[in-house]
């Protein structure tokens, strides 16, 4: 189960597209160690997939928006490895917000090491310490998201209203959830989910990470509403041409 104390951070976190004017705070060596320990404590979506993070100066990946460090996520390439990375990464995103460390999912970043300890690079965060909570989101509901009826069918359980604010690559929001007879089925749109000028293949790559992000937020919301569930995860293989791919089911 994902740590419940991360739930309040859903409304606090934001994507720091710019770190300028964020003060002169620095992330200490002790805090860098805490980030690594936190990663090891997070609940994976797929326990059999080995993952790891590296934390390097942002200058090593040519990040030019005044971040201090980048956290690079690595993983074994197994079934649903991208979803698992997104699920873990979103826990990190929320945890960083709890420590007043601003973060940005940086999908276009180029890693200095594309492979590490037998693992493949997935995606990175740019991070920087900020002085206090005033630098974070003040009104989550002002964020631009699809209407609830576009991403959810059936009873919301009080969870959909918050889960809809899950972050995604270029705000593509490639998810849909159906509630039929109390069973939640989560789908990923596999067609017409363009991300800027990215090729369809790259868009599919990042949308799989996005689905892991969404499952993390959704589960935190369900738990917050007192809903117990058993999750079944389905394969989401590259090359699927269906309009919707079933990703997970909650009973």
């Amino acid at each position: 189960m994902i740590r419940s104390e991360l739930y309040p951070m859903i409304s606090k976190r934001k994507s720091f597209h710019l770190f300028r004017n964020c003060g002169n705070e620095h992330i200490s060596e002790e805090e860098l160690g805490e980030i690594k320990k936190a990663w090891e404590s997070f609940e994976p979506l797929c326990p059999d997939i080995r993952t790891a993070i590296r934390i390097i100066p942002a200058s090593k990946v040519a990040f030019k928006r005044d971040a201090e460090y980048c956290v690079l996520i690595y993983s074994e390439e197994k079934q649903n490895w991208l979803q698992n990375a997104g699920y873990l990464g979103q826990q990190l995103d929320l945890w960083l917000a709890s420590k007043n460390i601003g973060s940005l999912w940086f999908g276009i970043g180029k890693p200095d090491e594309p492979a590490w300890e037998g693992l493949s690079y997935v995606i990175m965060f740019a991070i920087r310490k900020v002085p206090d909570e005033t630098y974070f989101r003040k009104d989550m509901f002002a964020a631009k998201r699809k209407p609830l009826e576009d991403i959810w069918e059936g009873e919301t359980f009080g969870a959909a209203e918050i889960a809809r604010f899950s972050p995604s690559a270029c705000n593509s929001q490639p998810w849909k959830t159906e509630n039929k007879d109390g069973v939640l089925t989560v789908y990923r749109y596999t067609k017409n989910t363009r991300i800027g000028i990215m090729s369809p293949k790259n868009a599919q790559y990042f949308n799989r990470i996005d689905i892991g992000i969404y499952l993390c937020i959704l589960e935190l919301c369900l738990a917050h509403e007192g809903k117990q569930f058993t999750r079944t995860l389905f394969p989401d293989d590259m090359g699927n041409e269906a309009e919707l791919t079933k990703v997970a089911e909650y009973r």
Side-chain angles (χ1 to χ4, degrees):
M1 182 69 68
I2 302 174
R3 288 148 52 175
S4 60
E5 64 266 25
L6 295 178
Y7 176 82
M9 297 301 107
I10 297 173
S11 60
K12 177 182 175 180
R13 69 152 302 277
K14 76 170 187 178
S15 298
F16 281 75
H17 293 285
L18 293 173
F19 288 94
R20 302 187 188 101
N21 303 317
C22 283
N24 297 313
E25 300 284 328
H26 292 283
I27 302 173
S28 67
E29 289 296 325
E30 181 180 0
E31 288 171 318
L32 292 176
E34 289 176 357
I35 293 172
K36 294 175 182 177
K37 288 180 181 178
W39 179 266
E40 295 171 357
S41 73
F42 295 147
E43 181 74 20
L45 184 66
C46 305
D48 64 324
I49 298 179
R50 187 165 66 93
T51 65
I53 60 171
R54 292 175 60 234
I55 305 176
I56 62 174
S59 58
K60 284 195 172 183
V61 294
F63 191 88
K64 299 187 183 300
R65 302 176 192 173
D66 297 331
E68 186 173 12
Y69 292 98
C70 283
V71 182
L72 281 63
I73 299 175
Y74 292 83
S75 173
E76 288 182 285
E77 292 192 33
K78 289 185 175 181
Q79 185 172 278
N80 292 329
W81 66 298
L82 298 176
Q83 292 83 345
N84 185 63
Y87 188 88
L88 285 165
Q90 189 53 42
Q91 292 172 72
L92 177 61
D93 188 22
L94 297 173
W95 183 89
L96 289 168
S98 76
K99 304 299 181 182
N100 286 341
I101 297 175
S103 65
L104 172 70
W105 286 92
F106 189 46
I108 62 173
K110 300 297 182 184
D112 62 331
E113 296 284 350
W116 187 67
E117 293 190 349
L119 305 177
S120 300
Y121 168 75
V122 182
I123 196 169
M124 72 177 72
F125 282 94
I127 62 173
R128 185 182 182 90
K129 188 75 178 282
V130 299
D132 54 55
E133 294 188 351
T134 62
Y135 288 79
F136 289 85
R137 194 185 301 279
K138 297 176 178 62
D139 181 9
M140 176 181 67
F141 295 98
K144 198 172 182 180
R145 293 294 188 272
K146 292 179 181 178
L148 185 60
E149 58 269 22
D150 288 357
I151 65 162
W152 194 286
E153 292 184 10
E155 170 61 38
T156 66
F157 290 152
E161 291 83 352
I162 303 301
R164 64 187 283 263
F165 290 98
S166 300
S168 57
C170 295
N171 205 23
S172 55
Q173 305 167 69
W175 44 72
K176 182 171 184 177
T177 303
E178 294 180 349
N179 182 352
K180 292 185 178 179
D181 300 321
V183 177
L184 298 183
T185 305
V186 179
Y187 299 92
R188 181 180 65 81
Y189 280 103
T190 55
K191 290 187 176 181
N192 302 319
T193 53
R194 295 184 61 84
I195 300 180
I197 61 173
M198 285 186 190
S199 68
K201 181 178 179 181
N202 286 341
Q204 295 282 321
Y205 177 95
F206 287 109
N207 282 165
R208 284 172 168 82
I209 297 172
D210 295 338
I211 282 293
I213 293 171
Y214 177 70
L215 294 182
C216 171
I217 299 286
L218 176 61
E219 291 179 15
L220 279 169
C221 292
L222 290 171
H224 180 74
E225 296 299 326
K227 298 295 182 183
Q228 296 183 339
F229 55 82
T230 300
R231 181 211 317 124
T232 301
L233 194 64
F234 299 94
D236 184 1
D237 300 322
M238 298 291 272
N240 191 327
E241 293 298 324
E243 181 178 4
L244 288 170
T245 295
K246 183 190 287 190
V247 172
E249 194 173 76
Y250 294 87
R251 292 181 177 270

